[in-house]
Amino acid sequence: MSRRLLALVCVSVSLLTACGALPGTGGPERSTVTVWLMKDSASPEFVERFTEDFEHDHPDLDLDVRIQEWTGVGDKVQAALKADDGRGPDVIEVGNTQVPQYVEGGGLLDLTLESATRWGRADWLPGLAEPGRERFHQYGIPWYAANRVVIYRKDLFERAGVTVPPRTRAEWLADTEKLNADGHQGIYLAGQDWYTLAGFVWDEGGDLATEAGGRWEGALDTPAALRGMDFYRRLQALGGGPVGADEEHPPQAGVFAGGKVAQIVAVPGLARAVLERNPALRDRLGFFPVPGRTAGRPGAVFTGGSDLVVPRNTDVRDGAVAVVSALTGARWDTDLARTMKYVPNKAKLAKAVAGEEGVTAMAAGAARGRATPSTPEWAAVEADNPIKGYMTKVLTGSDPATEARRASQRITEALTVTY
């Protein structure tokens, strides 16, 4: 029996029995909340702990947690948001930058009231909260974050006389130049690592694209964005990263594992792949936040991670909201962060993962994290990414201002919606 049909039966029976206490049941009628979580976002042990605790605290609710694959999930989510059979998910984990495309179709429940009055949205990491917001309405509720840090070789730093990790961009350049000696690359930075570039652009006060009057335009040609690109150019030149490829071609974990690179910019979890290839580096790897312009403020970084959303077509609204409230609340959010080595959804919760060097570095950067422009059309930009080509042009000697204007125009065209 579908949940909607069950609800109709319940209404009818309530005329005689005060619905929720059917003869012979011995207790309230239970509803099922179906939750879609993505593969590897939470361990089976975490899901089991949470389910048991949540059902204990909510005796009228059962949880049905179903694990989804990231590949192809967008179409699956869109179909679920349009379904009207009452069998779809009631809570869905989505990538933080995916929320705008689901908001556009009107398929998500507006959770602004709960966010403002119960969930402390003013404290959320901006890189998770902003993509989940449309105007002043909150649809995506921040769950966990992950962002880039600098993974470095402690032994090579010591050999070069660098006793503490750099805290400013100027120090980072100077130290990397020292490290770029004796057959070692001071840093391996691929020429088309545009997520890392985005952080430098944001740090300078620029952006990839801006909105005015409902119209989005590329913004790589602003003075601030050009300063970010210039810093990228200077840093990238202190290593041998390919100027015409991104960080996955070849995978930078393999390059770093080769033993001739002092630093890479990556999420801390990439260290596992490095150690799988070269276990001899196990005690030689360290982590520090991407340096900012001043010592007291880490650099801005792209924040990836997940938000939780509730489809408008759910027929267990209160139960779905209760699940979101519990999963994103301090207790279970910090439990997940410790279990999976994530950054919690609020900067003030970062102390929960203070014992993990890589996560601590990540949390420091997450406080200044950002996301890609909050528009459904951004996916069209990434599909044929003009930022990558722009970077290669600059790194091979083309005029930055000219190439930035061209790339910005292409971004504008991709973001322009025609009906």
Side-chain angles (χ1 to χ4, degrees):
M1 181 182 294
S2 76
R3 285 176 283 174
R4 287 192 172 86
L5 181 56
L6 179 62
L8 291 174
V9 172
C10 186
V11 170
S12 300
V13 174
S14 69
L15 298 175
L16 299 174
T17 66
C19 180
L22 299 177
T25 63
E29 184 70 23
R30 298 177 69 88
S31 299
T32 297
V33 181
T34 301
V35 182
W36 282 7
L37 299 183
M38 302 308 300
K39 183 180 180 182
D40 298 328
S41 287
S43 68
E45 294 76 16
F46 173 89
V47 172
E48 183 178 354
R49 289 198 308 272
F50 176 77
T51 299
E52 181 178 354
D53 185 84
F54 183 85
E55 291 181 345
H56 177 270
D57 291 345
H58 301 80
D60 59 332
L61 297 175
D62 289 322
L63 284 190
D64 178 12
V65 179
R66 303 181 185 182
I67 305 302
Q68 309 296 317
E69 297 282 349
W70 282 109
T71 302
V73 76
D75 291 341
K76 193 172 183 179
V77 171
Q78 293 285 18
L81 297 181
K82 297 174 183 176
D84 58 3
D85 59 6
R87 299 178 181 177
D90 304 296
V91 178
I92 309 175
E93 175 195 352
V94 300
N96 60 325
T97 61
Q98 295 175 332
V99 180
Q101 62 186 281
Y102 302 136
V103 171
E104 184 183 37
L108 299 184
L109 196 66
D110 188 338
L111 298 171
T112 306
L113 181 61
E114 292 86 352
S115 300
T117 61
R118 295 162 49 192
W119 297 340
R121 72 175 182 181
D123 297 325
W124 285 335
L125 297 176
L128 293 179
E130 290 171 1
R133 188 178 305 137
E134 172 67 21
R135 303 300 179 186
F136 301 105
H137 298 275
Q138 194 75 42
Y139 298 92
I141 308 305
W143 193 22
Y144 67 83
N147 52 263
R148 287 161 174 75
V149 301
V150 183
I151 307 176
Y152 74 103
R153 286 275 302 275
K154 294 179 179 179
D155 56 327
L156 295 182
F157 269 54
E158 183 179 354
R159 187 182 306 173
V162 182
T163 58
V164 294
R167 295 190 301 158
T168 68
R169 283 190 183 180
E171 291 177 358
W172 196 14
L173 287 173
D175 290 345
T176 302
E177 191 165 5
K178 294 177 185 176
L179 293 158
N180 193 29
D182 301 326
H184 293 96
Q185 297 183 50
I187 189 168
Y188 180 85
L189 184 59
Q192 295 183 349
D193 187 350
W194 70 276
Y195 282 121
T196 296
L197 169 66
F200 300 157
V201 169
W202 292 326
D203 219 28
E204 291 287 349
D207 215 328
L208 306 179
T210 56
E211 180 190 20
R215 174 180 168 81
W216 283 91
E217 295 184 347
L220 292 175
D221 53 343
T222 64
L226 287 168
R227 289 195 299 271
M229 182 65 227
D230 185 63
F231 179 79
Y232 191 99
R233 177 189 60 78
R234 296 167 65 193
L235 184 66
Q236 198 273 341
L238 296 174
V243 296
D246 63 23
E247 64 275 19
E248 289 301 319
H249 300 90
Q252 63 177 344
V255 178
F256 194 40
K260 296 295 184 179
V261 173
Q263 307 170 86
I264 57 173
V265 181
V267 294
L270 195 72
R272 290 193 296 270
V274 173
L275 294 176
E276 287 174 1
R277 292 169 171 82
N278 188 351
L281 297 178
R282 183 164 304 280
D283 297 322
R284 301 179 185 180
L285 300 185
F287 309 84
F288 60 86
V290 173
R293 298 173 65 190
T294 60
R297 198 177 190 194
V301 289
F302 169 76
T303 299
S306 287
D307 285 8
L308 299 179
V309 299
V310 176
R312 286 188 64 184
N313 59 12
T314 178
D315 53 10
V316 284
R317 182 193 188 284
D318 291 346
V321 170
V323 170
V324 173
S325 182
L327 278 174
T328 63
R331 176 188 173 190
W332 288 104
D333 202 62
T334 54
D335 187 314
L336 181 75
R338 286 191 297 268
T339 300
M340 304 300 295
K341 306 298 187 290
Y342 293 144
V343 177
N345 60 11
K346 296 178 179 177
K348 65 183 181 182
L349 300 178
K351 60 181 179 293
V353 291
E356 296 286 340
E357 183 184 1
V359 182
T360 299
M362 190 163 58
R368 299 203 60 230
R370 296 276 300 275
T372 50
S374 186
T375 168
E377 281 68 43
W378 187 256
V381 175
E382 294 192 24
D384 184 25
N385 200 326
I387 305 174
K388 290 185 173 184
Y390 156 64
M391 296 171 73
T392 296
K393 290 284 189 180
V394 174
L395 295 178
T396 53
S398 296
D399 177 62
T402 299
E403 298 303 332
R405 283 194 297 272
R406 290 172 177 165
S408 294
Q409 180 59 37
R410 288 185 58 196
I411 291 173
T412 300
E413 292 168 357
L415 296 179
T416 299
V417 181
T418 57
Y419 297 98

PDB file of all heavy atoms in Angstrom, residues 96-109:
ATOM      1  N   ASN A  96      26.742  19.933  -3.207  1.00  0.00           N
ATOM      2  CA  ASN A  96      26.351  21.309  -2.886  1.00  0.00           C
ATOM      3  C   ASN A  96      26.139  22.168  -4.127  1.00  0.00           C
ATOM      4  O   ASN A  96      25.210  22.980  -4.177  1.00  0.00           O
ATOM      5  CB  ASN A  96      27.368  21.959  -1.946  1.00  0.00           C
ATOM      6  CG  ASN A  96      28.773  22.021  -2.524  1.00  0.00           C
ATOM      7  OD1 ASN A  96      29.207  21.118  -3.244  1.00  0.00           O
ATOM      8  ND2 ASN A  96      29.511  23.065  -2.207  1.00  0.00           N
ATOM      9  N   THR A  97      26.946  21.983  -5.160  1.00  0.00           N
ATOM     10  CA  THR A  97      26.793  22.815  -6.355  1.00  0.00           C
ATOM     11  C   THR A  97      25.685  22.311  -7.278  1.00  0.00           C
ATOM     12  O   THR A  97      25.373  22.958  -8.277  1.00  0.00           O
ATOM     13  CB  THR A  97      28.114  22.889  -7.141  1.00  0.00           C
ATOM     14  OG1 THR A  97      28.499  21.574  -7.568  1.00  0.00           O
ATOM     15  CG2 THR A  97      29.214  23.493  -6.291  1.00  0.00           C
ATOM     16  N   GLN A  98      25.068  21.170  -6.942  1.00  0.00           N
ATOM     17  CA  GLN A  98      23.973  20.647  -7.752  1.00  0.00           C
ATOM     18  C   GLN A  98      22.618  21.233  -7.345  1.00  0.00           C
ATOM     19  O   GLN A  98      21.656  21.156  -8.110  1.00  0.00           O
ATOM     20  CB  GLN A  98      23.892  19.118  -7.629  1.00  0.00           C
ATOM     21  CG  GLN A  98      25.088  18.372  -8.188  1.00  0.00           C
ATOM     22  CD  GLN A  98      24.995  16.877  -7.928  1.00  0.00           C
ATOM     23  OE1 GLN A  98      24.376  16.430  -6.961  1.00  0.00           O
ATOM     24  NE2 GLN A  98      25.624  16.088  -8.795  1.00  0.00           N
ATOM     25  N   VAL A  99      22.545  21.807  -6.155  1.00  0.00           N
ATOM     26  CA  VAL A  99      21.244  22.249  -5.643  1.00  0.00           C
ATOM     27  C   VAL A  99      20.525  23.203  -6.601  1.00  0.00           C
ATOM     28  O   VAL A  99      19.310  23.052  -6.830  1.00  0.00           O
ATOM     29  CB  VAL A  99      21.391  22.885  -4.245  1.00  0.00           C
ATOM     30  CG1 VAL A  99      20.028  23.352  -3.724  1.00  0.00           C
ATOM     31  CG2 VAL A  99      22.003  21.892  -3.255  1.00  0.00           C
ATOM     32  N   PRO A 100      21.210  24.204  -7.197  1.00  0.00           N
ATOM     33  CA  PRO A 100      20.471  25.144  -8.059  1.00  0.00           C
ATOM     34  C   PRO A 100      19.686  24.479  -9.176  1.00  0.00           C
ATOM     35  O   PRO A 100      18.586  24.935  -9.517  1.00  0.00           O
ATOM     36  CB  PRO A 100      21.591  26.045  -8.605  1.00  0.00           C
ATOM     37  CG  PRO A 100      22.640  26.025  -7.552  1.00  0.00           C
ATOM     38  CD  PRO A 100      22.615  24.611  -7.036  1.00  0.00           C
ATOM     39  N   GLN A 101      20.208  23.408  -9.757  1.00  0.00           N
ATOM     40  CA  GLN A 101      19.493  22.785 -10.867  1.00  0.00           C
ATOM     41  C   GLN A 101      18.236  22.081 -10.389  1.00  0.00           C
ATOM     42  O   GLN A 101      17.259  21.953 -11.144  1.00  0.00           O
ATOM     43  CB  GLN A 101      20.401  21.812 -11.625  1.00  0.00           C
ATOM     44  CG  GLN A 101      20.909  20.651 -10.813  1.00  0.00           C
ATOM     45  CD  GLN A 101      21.920  19.804 -11.584  1.00  0.00           C
ATOM     46  OE1 GLN A 101      21.541  19.002 -12.417  1.00  0.00           O
ATOM     47  NE2 GLN A 101      23.195  20.009 -11.322  1.00  0.00           N
ATOM     48  N   TYR A 102      18.206  21.641  -9.129  1.00  0.00           N
ATOM     49  CA  TYR A 102      17.007  21.011  -8.590  1.00  0.00           C
ATOM     50  C   TYR A 102      16.006  22.066  -8.111  1.00  0.00           C
ATOM     51  O   TYR A 102      14.794  21.850  -8.165  1.00  0.00           O
ATOM     52  CB  TYR A 102      17.372  20.063  -7.454  1.00  0.00           C
ATOM     53  CG  TYR A 102      18.342  18.977  -7.859  1.00  0.00           C
ATOM     54  CD1 TYR A 102      19.427  18.633  -7.052  1.00  0.00           C
ATOM     55  CD2 TYR A 102      18.187  18.299  -9.069  1.00  0.00           C
ATOM     56  CE1 TYR A 102      20.321  17.642  -7.425  1.00  0.00           C
ATOM     57  CE2 TYR A 102      19.076  17.306  -9.453  1.00  0.00           C
ATOM     58  CZ  TYR A 102      20.140  16.980  -8.632  1.00  0.00           C
ATOM     59  OH  TYR A 102      21.029  16.011  -9.011  1.00  0.00           O
ATOM     60  N   VAL A 103      16.506  23.199  -7.662  1.00  0.00           N
ATOM     61  CA  VAL A 103      15.629  24.297  -7.269  1.00  0.00           C
ATOM     62  C   VAL A 103      14.863  24.823  -8.479  1.00  0.00           C
ATOM     63  O   VAL A 103      13.677  25.156  -8.401  1.00  0.00           O
ATOM     64  CB  VAL A 103      16.442  25.437  -6.615  1.00  0.00           C
ATOM     65  CG1 VAL A 103      15.563  26.672  -6.396  1.00  0.00           C
ATOM     66  CG2 VAL A 103      17.049  24.988  -5.287  1.00  0.00           C
ATOM     67  N   GLU A 104      15.546  24.877  -9.614  1.00  0.00           N
ATOM     68  CA  GLU A 104      14.975  25.474 -10.811  1.00  0.00           C
ATOM     69  C   GLU A 104      13.651  24.833 -11.207  1.00  0.00           C
ATOM     70  O   GLU A 104      12.724  25.512 -11.661  1.00  0.00           O
ATOM     71  CB  GLU A 104      15.970  25.364 -11.969  1.00  0.00           C
ATOM     72  CG  GLU A 104      15.501  26.055 -13.234  1.00  0.00           C
ATOM     73  CD  GLU A 104      16.473  25.879 -14.384  1.00  0.00           C
ATOM     74  OE1 GLU A 104      17.057  24.783 -14.507  1.00  0.00           O
ATOM     75  OE2 GLU A 104      16.644  26.833 -15.153  1.00  0.00           O
ATOM     76  N   GLY A 105      13.525  23.557 -11.054  1.00  0.00           N
ATOM     77  CA  GLY A 105      12.291  22.883 -11.448  1.00  0.00           C
ATOM     78  C   GLY A 105      11.184  22.966 -10.420  1.00  0.00           C
ATOM     79  O   GLY A 105      10.088  22.442 -10.645  1.00  0.00           O
ATOM     80  N   GLY A 106      11.450  23.606  -9.270  1.00  0.00           N
ATOM     81  CA  GLY A 106      10.423  23.748  -8.251  1.00  0.00           C
ATOM     82  C   GLY A 106      10.146  22.479  -7.479  1.00  0.00           C
ATOM     83  O   GLY A 106       9.093  22.356  -6.829  1.00  0.00           O
ATOM     84  N   GLY A 107      11.080  21.543  -7.499  1.00  0.00           N
ATOM     85  CA  GLY A 107      10.817  20.255  -6.867  1.00  0.00           C
ATOM     86  C   GLY A 107      11.268  20.119  -5.427  1.00  0.00           C
ATOM     87  O   GLY A 107      11.095  19.053  -4.834  1.00  0.00           O
ATOM     88  N   LEU A 108      11.841  21.163  -4.837  1.00  0.00           N
ATOM     89  CA  LEU A 108      12.375  21.056  -3.483  1.00  0.00           C
ATOM     90  C   LEU A 108      11.518  21.817  -2.480  1.00  0.00           C
ATOM     91  O   LEU A 108      10.954  22.872  -2.780  1.00  0.00           O
ATOM     92  CB  LEU A 108      13.805  21.594  -3.428  1.00  0.00           C
ATOM     93  CG  LEU A 108      14.834  20.887  -4.299  1.00  0.00           C
ATOM     94  CD1 LEU A 108      16.224  21.482  -4.051  1.00  0.00           C
ATOM     95  CD2 LEU A 108      14.850  19.388  -4.032  1.00  0.00           C
ATOM     96  N   LEU A 109      11.476  21.303  -1.279  1.00  0.00           N
ATOM     97  CA  LEU A 109      10.757  21.940  -0.184  1.00  0.00           C
ATOM     98  C   LEU A 109      11.561  23.127   0.329  1.00  0.00           C
ATOM     99  O   LEU A 109      12.780  23.037   0.507  1.00  0.00           O
ATOM    100  CB  LEU A 109      10.550  20.920   0.941  1.00  0.00           C
ATOM    101  CG  LEU A 109       9.515  21.252   2.014  1.00  0.00           C
ATOM    102  CD1 LEU A 109       8.112  21.286   1.413  1.00  0.00           C
ATOM    103  CD2 LEU A 109       9.592  20.213   3.132  1.00  0.00           C
TER     104      LEU A 109
END
